[in-house]
Amino acid sequence: QVQLVESGGGLVQPGGSLRLSCAASGSIFRVNSMGWYRQAPGKQREWVATTFSGGSTNYADSVKGRFTISRDNAKNTVYLQMNSLKPEDTAVYYCNAVVAVLITKQTDYWGQGTQVTVSS
């Protein structure tokens, strides 16, 4: 069993910054990728960013140049640094991890979500 614990959400003014973190724990053989998704009320969940085991990163067009995803492999933790926040960034942000719990078994796990509200 693998658990993802998120933190860092809150209320911030437009143009401000927040850093989200997500730590994976449990019976982990290997973390293949970790990423962030978000969901606003009335909208479908959308992908935000992903970091892969090889070190590469991908970003949604809506956050390129403003958000940075990073990873601390020793701590099995992923971060999302969010700068120049806009009201349209308001959403529940979810951490995702693709984890190999066995050498031949790969499973997706999700965090509980953390609320980010951008408002003046």
Side-chain angles (χ1 to χ4, degrees), residues 45-93:
R45 185 176 298 185
E46 66 173 344
W47 167 73
V48 175
T50 301
T51 180
F52 299 90
S53 60
S56 63
T57 58
N58 288 332
Y59 297 92
D61 288 341
S62 60
V63 305
K64 283 183 178 178
R66 299 188 298 120
F67 291 9
T68 302
I69 188 169
S70 60
R71 182 176 175 180
D72 186 334
N73 290 327
K75 298 180 180 180
N76 284 331
T77 300
V78 66
Y79 305 92
L80 186 68
Q81 179 66 47
M82 304 185 294
N83 299 324
S84 301
L85 283 163
K86 305 174 182 179
E88 50 263 44
D89 294 318
T90 296
V92 177
Y93 284 70

Side-chain angles (χ1 to χ4, degrees), residues 8-9 18 21-22 32 54 67 74 77 103 109 113 115:
L18 285 173
S21 64
C22 173
N32 293 327
F67 291 9
T77 300
I103 195 168
Y109 291 91
Q115 177 71 49

Side-chain angles (χ1 to χ4, degrees), residues 14-30:
S17 299
L18 285 173
R19 191 177 81 150
L20 308 182
S21 64
C22 173
S25 62
S27 300
I28 301 173
F29 176 76
R30 182 180 64 253

Side-chain angles (χ1 to χ4, degrees), residues 99-115:
V99 177
V101 295
L102 297 170
I103 195 168
T104 58
K105 183 178 180 180
Q106 180 174 279
T107 305
D108 284 80
Y109 291 91
W110 293 90
Q112 80 285 354
T114 184
Q115 177 71 49

